[in-house]
């Protein structure tokens, strides 16, 4: 029987065994789990907007927006509410059902909270699911955002616990987990994933998925980004990760997070159509749409329509996205070591 109940007792070894299985075995299992939990051929569409670009105090080695590196990006002030609403309307007209507002901040300041809350309420009033990613939050800030109508908070763990300090030195893994816990307490859905291609090894990709699997409930969305190399950052010259490795990571996520949206996130601009198709065939069921991510390009509507049409995939309906976005009741299934797994 394919896995339907989310499990939080995965061991690193379980995840490594999936990750390293022959690709046909792995994708076969991923598709069995997908078929048991999701309608075939449906893709959820989120759209990003950078509402506060550049000048960030953190030193994330992959990021165009860190003030620590000279990436040639011009820092901008927080975008006015009207511009955010106009962009949200455009995103909806383009087929997005979730609008994710990204701010290049280490943490949300109380003085900015009312402005972000107003953006959340206004975007929600346009009939879109709302998502914010604005760095670390305090407990009461998470509550205020929930009250404003926030559906999702994006806060990635990015890589394994061990590799994290190689990539960023200005905050810790525990800092990330604390913000995630505050969002959960406030009743906000979580969007938590990571990046492949930062010089990490496979063990770090397995470690990341293991850390995510311990979150209870699982994040409702798991974005898997392929590094978009940014000139001027410490990771700007990183060799690209292979598309098969991306497909493996997505397939493992599909199995480990049976009820979560698994997003083929950043990096599609550097992929062929076949590469993206492989990733969607491996079990991913969500993408970022629109021709921009935060500071870099994304394929855009025409190319995405061609890809999805060729695959016979279509947009997940509002009902389908809303059902999956409801936080699952925490389910704990304890499996004895050596007991046959149900996937
Ligand atoms: N400042 C907030 C934070 O760090 O959570 C929000 C914005 S940040 C740009 C959101 C996420 O985008 C990062 O955690 C990372 O996973 C992803 N990201 C940033 N730059 C990227 C890049 N060059 N390539 C791939 N993913 C990237
Ligand atoms: C996520 O996991 N990926 C998005 C979103 N969450 C915020 C960001 C991707 C950024 C890619 C590089 C850029 O455009 O600056
Ligand atoms: Fe700042 Fe987020 Fe970029 Fe890190 S990833 S430098 S926190 S904007």
């Amino acid at each position: 029987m394919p896995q339907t109940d989310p499990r939080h007792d995965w061991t690193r070894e379980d995840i490594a065994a999936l990750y390293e299985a022959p690709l046909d075995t792995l994708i076969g299992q991923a598709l069995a789990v997908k078929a048991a939990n999701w309608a075939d051929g449906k893709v959820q569409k989120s759209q990003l907007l950078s509402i506060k670009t550049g000048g960030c105090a953190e030193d994330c080695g992959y990021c165009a927006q860190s003030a620590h590196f000279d990436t040639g990006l011009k820092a901008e002030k927080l975008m006015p509410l009207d511009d955010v609403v106009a962009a949200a309307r455009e995103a909806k007209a383009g087929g997005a059902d979730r609008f994710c507002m990204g701010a290049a901040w280490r943490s949300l300041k109380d003085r900015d909270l009312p402005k972000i809350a107003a953006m959340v309420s206004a975007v929600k009033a346009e009939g879109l699911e709302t998502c914010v990613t604005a760095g670390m939050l305090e407990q009461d800030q998470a509550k205020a955002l929930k009250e404003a109508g926030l559906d999702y908070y994006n806060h990635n763990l990015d890589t394994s616990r061990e590799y994290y300090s190689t990539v960023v030195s200005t905050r810790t893994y525990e800092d990330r987990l604390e913000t995630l816990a505050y969002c959960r307490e406030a009743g906000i859905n979580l969007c938590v994933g990571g990046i492949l291609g930062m010089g990490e090894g496979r063990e770090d990709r397995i470690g990341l998925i293991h850390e995510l699997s311990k979150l209870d409930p699982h994040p409702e969305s798991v974005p898997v980004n392929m590094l978009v190399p940014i000139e001027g950052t410490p990771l700007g010259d990183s060799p690209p990760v292979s598309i098969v490795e991306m497909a493996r990571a997505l397939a493992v996520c599909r199995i480990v997070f049976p009820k979560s949206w698994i997003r083929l996130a950043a990096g599609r601009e550097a992929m062929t159509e076949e590469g993206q198709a492989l990733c969607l065939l491996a079990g991913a069921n969500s993408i970022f749409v629109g021709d921009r991510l935060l500071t870099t390009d994304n394929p855009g509507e025409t190319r995405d329509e061609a890809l999805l049409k060729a695959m016979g995939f279509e947009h997940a309906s509002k009902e389908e996205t809303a059902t999956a976005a409801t936080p699952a009741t925490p389910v704990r299934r304890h499996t004895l070591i050596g007991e046959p797994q149900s996937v």
Side-chain angles (χ1 to χ4, degrees):
M1 274 285 286
Q3 181 78 39
T4 50
D5 294 339
R7 283 175 47 195
H8 304 275
D9 60 352
W10 291 93
T11 64
R12 227 168 145 135
E13 292 70 33
D14 291 337
I15 294 168
L18 289 174
Y19 208 113
E20 283 156 9
L23 194 62
D24 51 356
T25 310
L26 171 58
I27 293 185
Q29 287 193 19
L31 292 184
V33 171
K34 186 162 176 262
N37 293 282
W38 301 87
D40 264 1
K42 302 282 178 163
V43 177
Q44 186 273 341
K45 298 177 178 178
S46 292
Q47 185 149 347
L48 287 161
L49 176 70
S50 183
I51 57 168
K52 159 69 187 84
T53 304
C56 183
E58 301 274 37
D59 69 352
C60 310
Y62 47 79
C63 187
Q65 308 199 66
S66 167
H68 295 255
F69 319 126
D70 183 8
T71 64
L73 187 79
K74 196 172 142 275
E76 287 168 20
K77 289 202 176 119
L78 185 62
M79 202 179 258
L81 176 64
D82 289 353
D83 293 1
V84 174
V85 174
R89 282 191 189 141
E90 219 177 290
K92 193 176 179 210
D97 48 51
R98 192 185 305 168
F99 193 67
C100 179
M101 294 161 268
W105 285 324
R106 168 173 162 76
S107 55
L108 177 59
K109 301 269 185 314
D110 278 338
R111 64 163 187 267
D112 292 315
L113 180 60
K115 294 180 199 156
I116 303 298
M119 289 177 189
V120 167
S121 303
V123 170
K124 184 120 177 136
E126 295 295 324
L128 284 151
E129 283 187 335
T130 54
C131 176
V132 166
T133 180
M136 290 181 269
L137 295 183
E138 296 297 341
Q139 212 165 9
D140 51 341
Q141 295 177 328
K143 283 190 191 133
L145 290 175
K146 171 71 184 174
E147 275 161 29
L150 186 65
D151 295 307
Y152 279 84
Y153 199 75
N154 166 248
H155 204 62
N156 290 342
L157 290 180
D158 281 329
T159 189
S160 67
R161 201 179 268 270
E162 310 84 87
Y163 197 66
Y164 199 71
S165 61
T166 315
V167 176
V168 44
S169 76
T170 48
R171 58 165 187 257
T172 64
Y173 223 64
E174 287 308 318
D175 289 333
R176 292 306 259 188
L177 291 168
E178 186 177 71
T179 292
L180 292 172
Y182 292 155
C183 290
R184 263 296 176 231
E185 269 171 45
I188 300 170
N189 294 307
L190 298 185
C191 173
V192 196
I195 310 180
L196 267 62
M198 303 191 293
E200 78 287 350
R202 209 177 240 187
E203 65 281 6
D204 297 304
R205 297 169 199 145
I206 291 164
L208 166 68
I209 297 171
H210 186 227
E211 291 289 344
L212 295 172
S213 74
K214 290 192 271 179
L215 297 175
D216 187 0
H218 285 160
E220 284 73 21
S221 275
V222 179
V224 181
N225 297 278
M226 182 187 264
L227 178 74
V228 180
I230 309 283
E231 220 184 296
T233 62
L235 295 173
D237 292 327
S238 306
V241 74
S242 85
I243 198 73
V244 172
E245 190 68 17
M246 270 301 280
R248 277 190 186 280
L250 289 160
V252 174
C253 287
R254 175 73 288 147
I255 296 167
V256 174
F257 310 108
K259 306 277 191 202
S260 308
W261 296 107
I262 306 298
R263 184 174 310 126
L264 170 58
R268 290 198 298 122
E269 187 68 3
M271 296 176 196
T272 62
E273 195 175 78
E274 294 85 345
Q276 295 176 62
L278 174 66
C279 289
L280 292 169
L281 283 177
N285 63 348
S286 166
I287 55 173
F288 283 125
V289 294
D291 54 18
R292 287 292 273 175
L293 294 167
L294 291 172
T295 68
T296 64
D297 289 341
N298 196 45
E301 196 173 344
T302 312
R303 279 152 67 198
D304 281 350
E305 288 215 332
L307 170 68
L308 297 182
K309 186 164 179 249
M311 296 186 74
F313 280 20
E314 54 186 39
H315 192 174
S317 72
K318 192 124 186 80
E319 294 67 41
E320 284 158 339
T321 53
T323 315
T326 307
T329 318
V331 176
R332 288 190 185 279
R333 273 179 27 141
H334 297 283
T335 326
L336 297 173
I337 295 168
E339 188 181 74
Q341 302 289 301
S342 56
V343 282

